[in-house]
Amino acid sequence: MLDGGAWHREPAAPDALADVQAAVLDDERIRIRYQSKQAEKPGDRTVDPWGLLQVGTTWYLLAAHRGRPRSYRVSRIGAVHRLGRPSRRPPDLDLQQVWRRMRDDFRGVPATEIVLRVHRPRLPLVLRSLAVTALGDPEPVAGAPDVHRLRVRSVEAAAAMLVGFGADIDVLAPAELRAGIIAIAAAAAAHHRNAASCPERR
């Protein structure tokens, strides 16, 4: 995957690039020795490779670590050990969408936290519907069955996505999201009542 924006300049291909690329293409879990910017010494991480991203001249590995998506600058990977096991890749993975969320988090895009109680069988569909405005992954609320926190770019967009789920969801916060859903539902009801009372046009 390519992103035209350039954050760093690295004219030479990183040493680990070929090994990382092979693991991505073979869909194989790997253990990497990674020097993060915050740590004094490199540490080992077992990751599920999802794809490679080039931003300007800089390469990143997009991978899941303990089930959560992460980006790793390939020039900071000191060693790659292939584990001989398949990567745990979500069947509906949208790598472009994953990267957009990461990039927005990095740039500090303003977000609003919403809290939802979702009828469990509907949760995957609710999350897919919110993907267009969601930032990051939902977080279960401890001690509250079926309740999740999620950050969104737009409360208005979230309301438009959630209104169709009716009683399968409860909006616990914020109040403006509840108000938005109520307003959309009321406008739709009024429109269709008026349409039903008008003579059919032929």
Side-chain angles (χ1 to χ4, degrees):
M1 193 167 61
L2 297 175
D3 188 320
W7 294 348
H8 310 283
R9 291 289 176 185
E10 294 176 347
D15 293 339
L17 181 60
D19 290 336
V20 170
Q21 183 180 35
V24 169
L25 292 175
D26 292 340
D27 203 18
E28 184 176 346
R29 177 175 277 199
I30 55 177
R31 183 179 299 115
I32 59 174
R33 175 64 55 86
Y34 190 70
Q35 176 63 65
S36 71
K37 196 173 183 179
Q38 295 79 18
E40 295 182 2
K41 298 187 295 184
D44 290 338
R45 293 167 172 79
T46 298
V47 301
D48 296 301
W50 286 357
L52 275 170
L53 166 72
Q54 188 177 23
V55 182
T57 60
T58 305
W59 286 93
Y60 293 88
L61 168 66
L62 301 186
H65 176 57
R66 296 176 180 173
R68 297 180 65 84
R70 295 286 186 267
S71 64
Y72 300 95
R73 192 168 162 181
V74 177
S75 61
R76 295 182 180 275
I77 298 177
V80 179
H81 177 62
R82 300 181 64 162
L83 300 179
R85 301 197 299 273
S87 175
R88 295 176 181 173
R89 182 190 300 268
D92 57 349
L93 176 66
D94 184 336
L95 204 60
Q96 294 276 2
Q97 187 179 95
V98 169
W99 171 239
R100 282 196 298 269
R101 292 178 186 173
M102 289 182 177
R103 184 179 57 195
D104 288 345
D105 283 345
F106 180 83
R107 291 174 174 171
V109 174
T112 300
E113 183 180 83
I114 66 174
V115 184
L116 305 173
R117 179 181 291 111
V118 183
H119 183 52
R120 187 164 299 177
R122 303 287 277 172
L123 181 61
L125 184 56
V126 169
L127 296 181
R128 285 198 296 273
S129 298
L130 287 172
V132 294
T133 189
L135 289 167
D137 295 325
E139 297 181 0
V141 175
D146 302 331
V147 177
H148 294 77
R149 301 181 188 274
L150 181 68
R151 292 185 305 132
V152 297
R153 299 181 185 89
S154 167
V155 173
E156 292 81 3
M161 296 300 104
L162 293 172
V163 67
F165 287 97
D168 285 333
I169 65 164
D170 291 316
V171 176
L172 305 183
E176 62 180 306
L177 177 57
R178 286 195 299 271
I181 291 174
I182 291 168
I184 294 170
H191 169 78
H192 287 287
R193 277 196 300 267
N194 292 336
S197 65
C198 293
E200 185 177 358
R201 293 182 180 179
R202 298 186 183 276

